[in-house]
Amino acid sequence: MEKLLLFGTGRFYQRRREKLYAMLGQDEIVGFLDNRAEEKRIVDGRPVYLPGELSGISYDRIILMSASIREMREQLLQRGVSAARISFYEEYLAAKVAGTVALPIRAASCREKKRILIVAYAMNYDGGTIVAVYAAQALQARGYDVTLTASAIHPDLARDVQAMGVEFVACPTLPYLGDKEREWIGQYDILIVNVFPNIQVACSMRRILPVIWWLHEAGEPYSAIYPHFRYQFSRYDSSTQMGGLQIFGVSPIASRVFSGYYPEVPIGVLPYGIPDTWTHEQARHEIPVFAIIGGIQALKGQRELLQAARVLWRKLRRMPFEVWLIGSESDNAYGREVSDLVQQCPFARFKGILTREKMETAYRSIDVVVCASQEETMSMTCIEGLMHAKVCLTTRNTGIASYLEDGVNGFVCEDNRPEHLADALERIWKARPQWDAIGRRGRMVYEEYFTMDAFGERLEQALLQAESEKA
């Protein structure tokens, strides 16, 4: 039994409090720390202290309940708190469920092919998750025995994964590993570790079996993932901890980002592929539809696209078109601004999160797929658009941009500033008579580079390389 102090009482804590309290067991929360404690001295019936009041409190461990883990931890260390008494929220939960995944794996149905474990991060409808599922499918098609694992999976996605015939096993401690988890993973022949947040998994398993580490993340200032997880897993934040890993970026951009942090560590490029679900059907939709797909966040540029579309709307003197926003909402400042714009723009339609089945239906009505990201290491949505023979618009700061010739098989604008997006939207509008031809040429890009066959071949070559290096 431990006496816990929770550092943070804001949105991070509020969103996780139910799960945290369910996991406490014999542990007891004796109070909170907050730099604004003078504004609220009681939260959930427990006292709230300023960090300067720590000396008078009896506690065993402090749990950081915020995304600002560096600032909080350094503040506590400066006040003399031992590092051993400070835990990240995810680290604390992982310790509570350590050893709960110790499942015997199935015997491989085809022993000349290997048993592959793909370790994903918490699985939702995001690009990194979806391509991990597609990687499992591509390897299964080549006879490998593949299992997917993550700490958790969105219920709708779990049903989709099951329908795809991909086995999923929950490993609640991820991205942390204990001895039991390492023992379980060690039963597989090859490990594919998806995304940078799984740095501990990749680095701690590299001496046990061949490991491919597949990276998708953008760099600063577009994403805080690298700084956040380098600090959270500082023990593994060195090139020596990565020796023996086969590391790939999903595009040259992803590889370049990684090399900016670890210039001594070799990294290759491993683009993904997606299943061909194009039915050649186009729903009857009299009004042209532009769609941007992804959760509402500044990186994705939904605000900038709506601002640009408003310019086009005025230039066309309100000639009808629609802009669909497909993905999860956000209640941060950027999300609220996007929500306000949706209300102000008569052409804007917020569609929310769509399952894969509903997304396939939506594509039949979409004319133009837009990736308005500040930076995107590839762009799942554009590849899906190319596969569906849609016109695609992306910014130059995306991996997919290098596959497109502006105005020929898609459109590329310099960046996601509203004025640049507005100019691109106007060029696309003027090219409406050529949309079908541009879409067909975009489809040819998909067929050459992004089919599941091409993806499977690239994956298999990476597996063989990992095995040969480990031998």
Side-chain angles (χ1 to χ4, degrees), residues 152-359:
I153 187 170
H154 189 284
D156 290 337
L157 180 59
R159 287 189 286 270
D160 288 344
V161 168
Q162 185 178 27
M164 294 174 181
V166 176
E167 181 180 61
F168 174 82
V169 175
C171 182
T173 66
L174 290 170
Y176 291 89
L177 291 183
D179 291 340
K180 288 283 188 180
E181 289 73 33
R182 278 189 284 270
E183 181 182 352
W184 172 66
I185 293 173
Q187 297 177 78
Y188 288 85
D189 296 306
I190 306 175
L191 179 63
I192 299 176
V193 179
N194 199 39
V195 303
F196 187 79
N198 282 320
I199 179 174
Q200 186 200 25
V201 182
C203 294
S204 65
M205 295 303 299
R206 66 190 172 91
R207 298 188 186 278
I208 301 173
L209 73 169
V211 178
I212 292 172
W213 194 14
W214 197 28
L215 304 174
H216 306 251
E217 288 79 14
E220 296 179 88
Y222 308 111
S223 169
I225 287 178
Y226 271 95
H228 181 92
F229 287 97
R230 289 181 73 198
Y231 186 80
Q232 186 166 331
F233 294 104
S234 56
R235 174 184 171 187
Y236 301 97
D237 182 30
S238 72
S239 57
T240 56
Q241 289 289 337
M242 299 175 188
L245 289 171
Q246 298 299 309
I247 308 176
F248 297 92
V250 75
S251 70
I253 291 178
S255 299
R256 186 168 64 245
V257 169
F258 177 83
S259 294
Y261 295 103
Y262 307 102
E264 313 90 354
V265 180
I267 183 170
V269 176
L270 179 61
Y272 55 79
I274 66 174
D276 190 354
T277 59
W278 187 37
T279 63
H280 300 257
E281 294 180 21
Q282 180 74 20
R284 293 183 177 275
H285 199 85
E286 295 181 0
I287 300 176
V289 174
F290 298 80
I292 184 169
I293 305 163
I296 305 297
Q297 54 178 301
L299 176 65
K300 297 295 185 181
Q302 289 93 348
R303 177 187 64 191
E304 289 73 14
L305 177 61
L306 289 176
Q307 291 170 339
R310 189 160 54 184
V311 173
L312 179 64
W313 176 263
R314 290 166 179 163
K315 282 190 176 182
L316 298 177
R317 298 186 178 183
R318 302 189 177 185
M319 186 178 294
F321 64 83
E322 293 180 2
V323 175
W324 291 2
L325 283 70
I326 300 173
S328 58
E329 294 187 74
S330 173
D331 61 358
N332 60 18
Y334 185 87
R336 290 190 292 273
E337 190 171 351
V338 171
S339 181
D340 290 343
L341 274 171
V342 170
Q343 298 299 317
Q344 297 167 18
C345 297
F347 51 81
R349 307 285 185 270
F350 185 76
K351 298 289 185 176
I353 298 174
L354 300 182
T355 64
R356 299 309 301 168
E357 182 180 359
K358 291 180 179 178
M359 193 65 238

Side-chain angles (χ1 to χ4, degrees), residues 71-141:
E71 293 82 353
M72 281 185 166
R73 188 170 181 272
E74 295 298 327
Q75 185 179 2
L76 294 173
L77 292 174
Q78 289 171 10
R79 291 189 175 279
V81 179
S82 167
R85 301 180 75 184
I86 305 171
S87 292
F88 306 116
Y89 164 75
E90 298 87 352
E91 182 183 17
Y92 173 75
L93 289 192
K96 301 294 285 186
V97 296
T100 56
V101 56
L103 304 176
I105 61 175
R106 296 176 291 106
S109 58
C110 197
R111 287 308 298 136
E112 68 270 14
K113 291 292 186 178
K114 304 295 184 177
R115 294 171 296 193
I116 312 297
L117 181 67
I118 300 177
V119 179
Y121 202 58
M123 296 179 68
N124 294 291
Y125 284 100
D126 60 85
T129 292
I130 298 303
V131 298
V133 177
Y134 292 160
Q137 284 188 301
L139 289 172
Q140 282 181 332

Side-chain angles (χ1 to χ4, degrees), residues 392-396 401 404-407 410-414 424 427:
C392 292
L393 165 64
T394 187
T395 62
R396 198 164 298 283
L404 299 181
E405 185 178 352
D406 186 50
F411 289 83
V412 181
C413 63
E414 192 62 31
R427 289 191 293 116

